[in-house]
Amino acid sequence: MSLAISELLRRSTLFGELSPTELEALARAAELREFARDEVIFAMFEPADGLYVLTGGRVKVCISTSEGKELIIATLGPGQFFGEMALLDDEPRSASVVAQLPTTAYRIHRSDFDRLVEAHPSIARKLMRELSLRLRRANAQMESLATLDVIGRLARYLIDLARQHGQVIGNAWVAVRRPTHQDIANSIGTTRETVTRLMSDLEQRGLVVNEGKMSYLREEVLQREGE
Ligand code: CMP
């Protein structure tokens, strides 16, 4: 059992360079948590209990606006982690994290996380690298909200989603499990009805193909955009 866990942790963004013995120790301390779709993993402003490493599914990171609406600031998938900010700055949770699909994650207790970061400069470096990447994405999202119209934001959202969570399938297409239209609307600052209408526009223009719960984008579109 713990061997399988240590292999999953080794494949994560943070812990890839730990030795097999260290991974084994971490695996013994990690606690497997399973979440149903739409289940709240933790809420904004709660005190922090630990760091979560995703092994399956997908989560959304969200904050509530002053009007009580949900704003989705990021989605994270297998291999990625969340819950590090409150551990690093000793503040309450900066956002809520909710399962967007059925999700599994290992929870690593705060004291184990602190010990690992202190003992392994490689983990601290990877943390900083990932925080920089997230800041870059947040900057890009700010730019997108300030400068693009809604269809532009939707197109960019789908491209980013496919880049981050998609899988290349045959014939140079990338497949990605599509969030609900409400979740897409909450990510790009519009309404569900507008997403439904504009999604048809994008399909007619041939940018995206939607079939069941999946969306398909051409690989070349992903490579071209944002260069
Ligand atoms: P924490 O503040 O402990 O709890 C909420 C988590 O959401 C946070 O740690 C990060 O892991 C994650 N998070 C917050 N803001 C972002 C963001 N802009 N991009 C990606 N993840 C984020």
Coordinates of all heavy atoms in Angstrom, one line a residue, residues 107-182:
R107 N -3.2 14.1 2.1 CA -3.0 15.3 3.0 C -1.7 15.1 3.8 O -1.5 14.0 4.4 CB -4.2 15.4 3.9 CG -4.2 16.8 4.6 CD -5.5 16.9 5.4 NE -5.4 16.0 6.5 CZ -5.5 16.3 7.8 NH1 -5.7 17.6 8.1 NH2 -5.5 15.4 8.7
I108 N -0.9 16.1 3.8 CA 0.4 16.0 4.5 C 0.3 17.0 5.7 O 0.0 18.2 5.4 CB 1.6 16.3 3.6 CG1 1.7 15.1 2.6 CG2 2.9 16.4 4.4 CD1 2.5 15.4 1.4
H109 N 0.5 16.5 6.9 CA 0.3 17.4 8.0 C 1.3 18.5 8.0 O 2.5 18.4 7.5 CB 0.5 16.5 9.3 CG 0.0 17.2 10.5 ND1 0.8 17.9 11.3 CD2 -1.3 17.3 11.0 CE1 0.1 18.5 12.3 NE2 -1.2 18.1 12.2
R110 N 0.9 19.6 8.6 CA 1.8 20.8 8.7 C 3.2 20.5 9.2 O 4.2 21.0 8.6 CB 1.1 21.9 9.6 CG 1.9 23.1 9.8 CD 1.2 23.9 11.0 NE 0.1 24.7 10.5 CZ 0.2 25.9 10.1 NH1 1.4 26.5 10.0 NH2 -0.8 26.6 9.7
S111 N 3.3 19.7 10.3 CA 4.6 19.5 10.9 C 5.5 18.7 9.9 O 6.7 19.0 9.8 CB 4.5 18.8 12.2 OG 3.7 17.6 12.0
D112 N 4.9 17.7 9.2 CA 5.7 17.0 8.2 C 6.2 17.9 7.0 O 7.3 17.8 6.6 CB 4.9 15.8 7.6 CG 4.6 14.8 8.7 OD1 5.6 14.4 9.4 OD2 3.5 14.3 8.8
F113 N 5.2 18.8 6.6 CA 5.6 19.7 5.5 C 6.7 20.6 5.9 O 7.7 20.8 5.2 CB 4.3 20.5 5.2 CG 4.5 21.6 4.2 CD1 4.8 21.3 2.8 CD2 4.5 22.9 4.6 CE1 5.0 22.3 1.9 CE2 4.7 23.9 3.6 CZ 5.0 23.6 2.3
D114 N 6.6 21.2 7.2 CA 7.6 22.1 7.6 C 9.0 21.4 7.7 O 10.0 22.0 7.3 CB 7.3 22.6 9.1 CG 6.2 23.6 9.0 OD1 5.8 24.1 8.0 OD2 5.6 23.9 10.1
R115 N 9.0 20.2 8.2 CA 10.2 19.4 8.3 C 10.8 19.2 6.9 O 12.0 19.4 6.7 CB 9.9 18.1 9.0 CG 11.1 17.4 9.6 CD 10.6 16.2 10.4 NE 9.5 15.4 9.9 CZ 9.5 14.7 8.8 NH1 10.6 14.5 8.1 NH2 8.4 14.1 8.4
L116 N 10.0 18.8 6.0 CA 10.5 18.5 4.6 C 11.1 19.8 4.0 O 12.1 19.7 3.3 CB 9.3 18.0 3.8 CG 9.0 16.5 4.0 CD1 7.6 16.2 3.3 CD2 10.1 15.7 3.3
V117 N 10.4 20.9 4.1 CA 10.9 22.1 3.4 C 12.2 22.5 4.0 O 13.1 22.9 3.3 CB 9.8 23.2 3.6 CG1 10.4 24.6 3.0 CG2 8.5 22.9 2.8
E118 N 12.3 22.4 5.4 CA 13.6 22.7 6.0 C 14.7 21.8 5.6 O 15.9 22.2 5.4 CB 13.4 22.8 7.5 CG 12.6 24.0 7.8 CD 12.7 24.4 9.3 OE1 13.4 23.8 10.1 OE2 11.9 25.3 9.6
A119 N 14.4 20.5 5.4 CA 15.5 19.6 5.2 C 15.9 19.5 3.7 O 17.0 19.0 3.4 CB 15.1 18.2 5.6
H120 N 15.0 19.9 2.8 CA 15.2 19.8 1.4 C 15.1 21.1 0.6 O 14.0 21.5 0.2 CB 14.3 18.7 0.8 CG 14.4 17.4 1.4 ND1 15.3 16.5 1.0 CD2 13.7 16.8 2.4 CE1 15.2 15.4 1.7 NE2 14.2 15.6 2.6
P121 N 16.3 21.7 0.3 CA 16.2 22.9 -0.5 C 15.5 22.7 -1.8 O 14.9 23.6 -2.4 CB 17.7 23.3 -0.7 CG 18.4 22.5 0.3 CD 17.6 21.3 0.7
S122 N 15.6 21.4 -2.4 CA 14.9 21.2 -3.7 C 13.4 21.4 -3.6 O 12.8 21.9 -4.5 CB 15.3 19.8 -4.2 OG 14.5 18.8 -3.5
I123 N 12.8 21.0 -2.4 CA 11.4 21.2 -2.2 C 11.1 22.7 -2.2 O 10.1 23.2 -2.8 CB 10.9 20.5 -1.0 CG1 11.0 18.9 -1.3 CG2 9.4 20.8 -0.7 CD1 10.5 18.1 -0.1
A124 N 11.9 23.5 -1.4 CA 11.7 24.9 -1.3 C 11.8 25.6 -2.7 O 11.0 26.4 -3.0 CB 12.7 25.5 -0.3
R125 N 12.8 25.1 -3.5 CA 12.9 25.7 -4.8 C 11.7 25.4 -5.7 O 11.2 26.3 -6.4 CB 14.2 25.1 -5.5 CG 15.4 26.0 -5.4 CD 16.5 25.6 -6.5 NE 16.7 24.2 -6.5 CZ 17.6 23.6 -5.7 NH1 18.2 24.3 -4.8 NH2 17.8 22.3 -5.8
K126 N 11.2 24.2 -5.6 CA 10.1 23.8 -6.4 C 8.8 24.6 -6.0 O 8.0 24.9 -6.8 CB 9.8 22.3 -6.4 CG 10.8 21.5 -7.2 CD 10.6 20.1 -7.1 CE 11.6 19.3 -7.9 NZ 11.4 17.9 -7.8
L127 N 8.7 24.8 -4.7 CA 7.6 25.6 -4.2 C 7.6 27.0 -4.8 O 6.6 27.5 -5.3 CB 7.7 25.7 -2.7 CG 6.9 24.8 -1.8 CD1 7.3 24.9 -0.4 CD2 5.4 25.0 -2.0
M128 N 8.8 27.6 -4.8 CA 9.0 28.9 -5.3 C 8.7 29.0 -6.8 O 8.1 29.9 -7.3 CB 10.4 29.5 -5.0 CG 10.5 29.8 -3.5 SD 12.0 30.7 -3.2 CE 13.3 29.4 -3.2
R129 N 9.1 28.0 -7.5 CA 8.9 27.9 -8.9 C 7.4 27.8 -9.2 O 6.9 28.5 -10.1 CB 9.6 26.6 -9.4 CG 9.8 26.6 -10.9 CD 10.4 25.2 -11.3 NE 10.1 25.0 -12.7 CZ 11.0 25.2 -13.6 NH1 12.2 25.7 -13.3 NH2 10.8 25.0 -14.9
E130 N 6.7 27.0 -8.5 CA 5.3 26.8 -8.7 C 4.5 28.1 -8.3 O 3.6 28.5 -9.0 CB 4.8 25.6 -7.9 CG 3.3 25.3 -8.1 CD 2.9 24.9 -9.5 OE1 3.7 24.4 -10.3 OE2 1.7 25.0 -9.8
L131 N 5.0 28.7 -7.2 CA 4.3 30.0 -6.8 C 4.5 31.1 -7.9 O 3.6 31.8 -8.2 CB 4.8 30.5 -5.5 CG 4.4 29.6 -4.3 CD1 5.0 30.2 -3.0 CD2 2.9 29.6 -4.1
S132 N 5.7 31.1 -8.5 CA 6.0 32.0 -9.6 C 5.1 31.7 -10.8 O 4.5 32.6 -11.4 CB 7.4 32.0 -10.1 OG 8.3 32.3 -9.1
L133 N 4.9 30.5 -11.1 CA 4.1 30.1 -12.2 C 2.6 30.5 -12.0 O 1.9 31.0 -12.9 CB 4.1 28.5 -12.4 CG 3.4 27.9 -13.6 CD1 4.0 28.3 -14.9 CD2 3.4 26.4 -13.5
R134 N 2.2 30.3 -10.7 CA 0.8 30.7 -10.4 C 0.6 32.2 -10.5 O -0.5 32.7 -10.9 CB 0.4 30.1 -9.0 CG 0.3 28.6 -9.1 CD -0.1 28.0 -7.7 NE 0.0 26.6 -7.8 CZ -0.4 25.7 -6.8 NH1 -0.7 26.2 -5.7 NH2 -0.3 24.4 -7.0
L135 N 1.6 32.9 -10.1 CA 1.6 34.4 -10.1 C 1.5 34.8 -11.6 O 0.7 35.7 -12.0 CB 2.8 35.0 -9.4 CG 2.8 36.5 -9.2 CD1 1.5 37.0 -8.5 CD2 4.0 36.9 -8.4
R136 N 2.3 34.2 -12.5 CA 2.2 34.5 -13.9 C 0.8 34.2 -14.4 O 0.3 35.0 -15.2 CB 3.2 33.6 -14.7 CG 4.6 34.0 -14.6 CD 5.5 33.0 -15.4 NE 6.9 33.3 -15.1 CZ 7.7 34.1 -15.8 NH1 7.1 34.8 -16.8 NH2 8.9 34.3 -15.5
R137 N 0.2 33.1 -14.0 CA -1.1 32.8 -14.5 C -2.1 33.8 -14.0 O -3.0 34.2 -14.8 CB -1.5 31.4 -14.1 CG -0.8 30.3 -14.8 CD -1.6 29.0 -14.9 NE -0.8 28.0 -15.6 CZ -0.4 26.9 -15.1 NH1 -0.6 26.5 -13.8 NH2 0.3 26.0 -15.8
A138 N -2.0 34.2 -12.7 CA -2.9 35.2 -12.2 C -2.7 36.5 -12.9 O -3.7 37.2 -13.2 CB -2.6 35.4 -10.7
N139 N -1.5 36.9 -13.3 CA -1.3 38.1 -14.1 C -2.0 38.0 -15.4 O -2.6 39.0 -15.9 CB 0.2 38.4 -14.3 CG 0.9 38.7 -13.0 OD1 0.3 38.9 -11.9 ND2 2.3 38.8 -13.0
A140 N -1.8 36.8 -16.0 CA -2.4 36.7 -17.4 C -3.9 36.7 -17.3 O -4.6 37.3 -18.1 CB -2.0 35.3 -18.0
Q141 N -4.5 36.2 -16.2 CA -5.9 36.2 -16.0 C -6.4 37.6 -15.8 O -7.4 38.1 -16.3 CB -6.4 35.3 -14.8 CG -7.8 35.0 -14.8 CD -8.3 34.1 -13.6 OE1 -7.4 33.8 -12.8 NE2 -9.5 33.7 -13.6
M142 N -5.6 38.4 -15.0 CA -6.0 39.8 -14.8 C -6.0 40.6 -16.2 O -6.9 41.3 -16.5 CB -4.9 40.5 -13.9 CG -5.5 41.3 -12.8 SD -4.4 42.0 -11.7 CE -2.9 41.3 -11.7
E143 N -4.9 40.3 -17.0 CA -4.8 41.0 -18.3 C -6.0 40.6 -19.2 O -6.7 41.4 -19.8 CB -3.5 40.5 -19.0 CG -3.2 41.3 -20.2 CD -3.0 40.4 -21.5 OE1 -3.0 39.2 -21.3 OE2 -2.8 41.0 -22.5
S144 N -6.4 39.3 -19.1 CA -7.5 38.8 -19.9 C -8.8 39.4 -19.5 O -9.6 39.9 -20.4 CB -7.5 37.2 -19.7 OG -8.6 36.7 -20.2
L145 N -9.0 39.5 -18.2 CA -10.3 40.2 -17.7 C -10.3 41.6 -18.1 O -11.4 42.2 -18.4 CB -10.4 40.0 -16.2 CG -10.8 38.6 -15.7 CD1 -10.6 38.5 -14.2 CD2 -12.3 38.3 -16.0
A146 N -9.2 42.3 -18.1 CA -9.1 43.8 -18.4 C -9.2 44.1 -19.8 O -9.7 45.2 -20.2 CB -7.9 44.4 -17.7
T147 N -8.7 43.2 -20.7 CA -8.5 43.6 -22.1 C -9.3 42.8 -23.1 O -9.6 43.3 -24.2 CB -7.0 43.5 -22.5 OG1 -6.6 42.1 -22.4 CG2 -6.1 44.4 -21.7
L148 N -9.8 41.6 -22.8 CA -10.4 40.8 -23.8 C -12.0 40.9 -23.6 O -12.5 41.0 -22.5 CB -10.0 39.3 -23.7 CG -8.5 39.0 -23.9 CD1 -8.3 37.5 -23.8 CD2 -8.1 39.4 -25.3
D149 N -12.7 40.7 -24.8 CA -14.1 40.6 -24.7 C -14.5 39.2 -24.2 O -13.6 38.3 -24.1 CB -14.8 41.0 -26.0 CG -14.4 40.1 -27.1 OD1 -13.6 39.1 -26.9 OD2 -14.7 40.4 -28.3
V150 N -15.8 38.9 -24.0 CA -16.1 37.6 -23.4 C -15.7 36.4 -24.3 O -15.2 35.4 -23.8 CB -17.6 37.5 -23.0 CG1 -17.9 36.3 -22.2 CG2 -18.0 38.7 -22.2
I151 N -15.9 36.6 -25.6 CA -15.6 35.4 -26.4 C -14.0 35.2 -26.4 O -13.6 34.0 -26.4 CB -16.1 35.5 -27.9 CG1 -16.0 34.2 -28.6 CG2 -15.5 36.6 -28.7 CD1 -17.1 33.9 -29.6
G152 N -13.3 36.3 -26.4 CA -11.8 36.1 -26.3 C -11.4 35.5 -25.0 O -10.5 34.6 -25.0
R153 N -12.1 35.8 -23.9 CA -11.8 35.2 -22.6 C -12.1 33.7 -22.6 O -11.4 32.9 -22.1 CB -12.5 35.9 -21.5 CG -12.2 37.4 -21.4 CD -12.4 37.9 -20.0 NE -13.8 37.9 -19.5 CZ -14.6 38.9 -19.6 NH1 -14.3 40.0 -20.3 NH2 -15.8 38.8 -19.1
L154 N -13.3 33.4 -23.3 CA -13.7 32.0 -23.3 C -12.7 31.2 -24.1 O -12.3 30.1 -23.7 CB -15.1 31.9 -23.9 CG -15.6 30.5 -24.1 CD1 -15.7 29.7 -22.7 CD2 -17.0 30.5 -24.7
A155 N -12.2 31.7 -25.3 CA -11.3 31.0 -26.1 C -10.0 30.8 -25.3 O -9.4 29.7 -25.3 CB -11.0 31.8 -27.4
R156 N -9.5 31.9 -24.7 CA -8.3 31.7 -23.9 C -8.4 30.7 -22.8 O -7.5 29.9 -22.5 CB -7.8 33.1 -23.4 CG -6.4 32.9 -22.8 CD -5.8 34.2 -22.3 NE -5.3 35.1 -23.3 CZ -4.8 36.3 -23.1 NH1 -4.6 36.7 -21.9 NH2 -4.3 37.0 -24.1
Y157 N -9.6 30.7 -22.1 CA -9.8 29.8 -21.0 C -9.7 28.4 -21.5 O -9.1 27.5 -20.8 CB -11.3 30.1 -20.4 CG -11.7 29.1 -19.4 CD1 -11.3 29.2 -18.1 CD2 -12.4 27.9 -19.8 CE1 -11.7 28.2 -17.2 CE2 -12.8 27.0 -18.9 CZ -12.5 27.1 -17.6 OH -12.8 26.2 -16.7
L158 N -10.4 28.1 -22.6 CA -10.4 26.7 -23.1 C -9.0 26.3 -23.5 O -8.6 25.1 -23.3 CB -11.3 26.6 -24.3 CG -12.8 26.7 -24.0 CD1 -13.7 26.8 -25.3 CD2 -13.3 25.6 -23.1
I159 N -8.2 27.2 -24.1 CA -6.8 26.9 -24.5 C -6.0 26.6 -23.2 O -5.3 25.6 -23.2 CB -6.2 28.0 -25.3 CG1 -6.9 28.0 -26.7 CG2 -4.7 27.9 -25.4 CD1 -6.7 29.2 -27.6
D160 N -6.1 27.4 -22.2 CA -5.4 27.2 -21.0 C -5.8 25.9 -20.3 O -4.9 25.2 -19.8 CB -5.6 28.4 -20.0 CG -4.9 29.6 -20.4 OD1 -4.0 29.5 -21.3 OD2 -5.2 30.7 -19.9
L161 N -7.1 25.6 -20.3 CA -7.6 24.4 -19.7 C -7.0 23.2 -20.4 O -6.5 22.2 -19.7 CB -9.1 24.4 -19.8 CG -9.8 23.2 -19.2 CD1 -9.9 23.4 -17.7 CD2 -11.2 23.0 -19.8
A162 N -7.0 23.2 -21.7 CA -6.4 22.1 -22.5 C -4.9 22.0 -22.3 O -4.4 20.9 -22.1 CB -6.7 22.3 -24.0
R163 N -4.2 23.1 -22.2 CA -2.8 23.1 -21.9 C -2.5 22.5 -20.5 O -1.5 21.7 -20.4 CB -2.2 24.5 -21.9 CG -1.9 25.0 -23.3 CD -1.0 26.2 -23.3 NE -0.9 26.8 -24.6 CZ -1.0 28.1 -24.8 NH1 -1.2 28.9 -23.9 NH2 -0.8 28.5 -26.0
Q164 N -3.3 22.9 -19.6 CA -3.0 22.4 -18.2 C -3.5 21.0 -17.9 O -2.9 20.3 -17.1 CB -3.6 23.4 -17.2 CG -2.8 24.7 -17.1 CD -3.5 25.7 -16.1 OE1 -3.9 25.3 -15.0 NE2 -3.7 26.9 -16.5
H165 N -4.6 20.7 -18.4 CA -5.3 19.4 -18.0 C -5.6 18.5 -19.1 O -6.1 17.4 -18.9 CB -6.6 19.8 -17.3 CG -6.4 20.6 -16.1 ND1 -5.8 20.2 -14.9 CD2 -6.8 21.9 -15.9 CE1 -5.8 21.2 -14.0 NE2 -6.4 22.3 -14.6
G166 N -5.3 18.9 -20.4 CA -5.6 18.1 -21.5 C -4.7 16.9 -21.8 O -3.5 16.9 -21.3
Q167 N -5.1 16.0 -22.6 CA -4.3 14.9 -23.0 C -4.3 14.8 -24.5 O -5.4 14.9 -25.2 CB -4.8 13.6 -22.5 CG -4.5 13.4 -21.0 CD -4.7 12.0 -20.6 OE1 -5.7 11.3 -21.0 NE2 -3.9 11.5 -19.7
V168 N -3.1 14.7 -25.1 CA -3.0 14.6 -26.6 C -3.6 13.2 -27.0 O -3.2 12.2 -26.4 CB -1.6 14.7 -27.0 CG1 -1.5 14.6 -28.6 CG2 -1.0 16.1 -26.6
I169 N -4.5 13.2 -27.9 CA -5.0 12.0 -28.4 C -4.5 11.9 -29.9 O -3.8 12.7 -30.4 CB -6.5 11.9 -28.3 CG1 -7.2 13.1 -28.9 CG2 -6.9 11.7 -26.8 CD1 -8.7 12.9 -29.0
G170 N -5.0 10.9 -30.6 CA -4.5 10.7 -32.0 C -4.9 11.9 -32.9 O -5.7 12.8 -32.5
N171 N -4.3 12.0 -34.0 CA -4.6 13.1 -35.0 C -4.4 14.5 -34.5 O -5.2 15.4 -35.0 CB -6.0 12.9 -35.6 CG -6.2 11.5 -36.2 OD1 -5.2 11.0 -36.8 ND2 -7.4 11.0 -36.1
A172 N -3.5 14.7 -33.6 CA -3.1 16.0 -33.2 C -4.3 16.8 -32.5 O -4.4 18.0 -32.7 CB -2.5 16.9 -34.3
W173 N -5.1 16.1 -31.8 CA -6.2 16.7 -31.0 C -5.8 16.6 -29.5 O -5.2 15.6 -29.1 CB -7.5 16.1 -31.2 CG -8.1 16.5 -32.6 CD1 -7.9 15.8 -33.8 CD2 -9.1 17.5 -32.9 NE1 -8.6 16.4 -34.8 CE2 -9.3 17.5 -34.2 CE3 -9.7 18.5 -32.1 CZ2 -10.2 18.4 -34.9 CZ3 -10.6 19.4 -32.7 CH2 -10.8 19.3 -34.1
V174 N -6.3 17.6 -28.7 CA -6.1 17.5 -27.3 C -7.5 17.4 -26.7 O -8.4 18.2 -27.0 CB -5.4 18.7 -26.7 CG1 -5.3 18.7 -25.2 CG2 -4.0 18.8 -27.4
A175 N -7.7 16.4 -25.8 CA -9.0 16.2 -25.1 C -8.9 16.6 -23.7 O -7.9 16.4 -23.0 CB -9.3 14.7 -25.2
V176 N -10.0 17.3 -23.3 CA -10.0 17.7 -21.9 C -11.5 17.6 -21.3 O -12.4 17.9 -22.1 CB -9.5 19.2 -21.7 CG1 -10.3 20.2 -22.4 CG2 -9.3 19.5 -20.3
R177 N -11.6 17.2 -20.1 CA -12.9 17.1 -19.5 C -13.4 18.5 -19.2 O -12.7 19.3 -18.5 CB -12.8 16.3 -18.2 CG -14.0 16.2 -17.3 CD -14.9 15.1 -17.8 NE -16.1 15.1 -16.9 CZ -16.4 14.2 -16.0 NH1 -15.6 13.2 -15.9 NH2 -17.5 14.4 -15.3
R178 N -14.5 18.9 -19.8 CA -15.0 20.3 -19.7 C -15.7 20.5 -18.4 O -16.6 19.8 -18.0 CB -16.0 20.5 -20.9 CG -16.4 21.9 -21.2 CD -17.3 22.1 -22.4 NE -18.5 21.2 -22.3 CZ -18.6 20.0 -22.9 NH1 -17.7 19.6 -23.7 NH2 -19.7 19.3 -22.8
P179 N -15.4 21.6 -17.7 CA -16.1 22.0 -16.5 C -17.6 22.4 -16.9 O -17.8 22.6 -18.1 CB -15.4 23.2 -16.0 CG -14.0 23.2 -16.6 CD -14.2 22.5 -18.0
T180 N -18.4 22.5 -15.9 CA -19.8 22.9 -16.2 C -19.8 24.4 -16.8 O -18.8 25.1 -16.6 CB -20.7 23.0 -15.0 OG1 -20.1 23.9 -14.1 CG2 -20.7 21.6 -14.3
H181 N -20.8 24.7 -17.6 CA -20.9 26.1 -18.1 C -20.9 27.1 -17.0 O -20.4 28.2 -17.1 CB -22.1 26.2 -19.0 CG -21.9 25.6 -20.3 ND1 -22.8 25.7 -21.4 CD2 -20.9 24.8 -20.8 CE1 -22.4 25.0 -22.4 NE2 -21.2 24.5 -22.1
Q182 N -21.5 26.7 -15.8 CA -21.5 27.7 -14.7 C -20.1 27.9 -14.2 O -19.7 29.0 -13.9 CB -22.4 27.1 -13.5 CG -22.5 28.1 -12.4 CD -23.3 29.3 -12.8 OE1 -24.4 29.3 -13.3 NE2 -22.6 30.5 -12.7

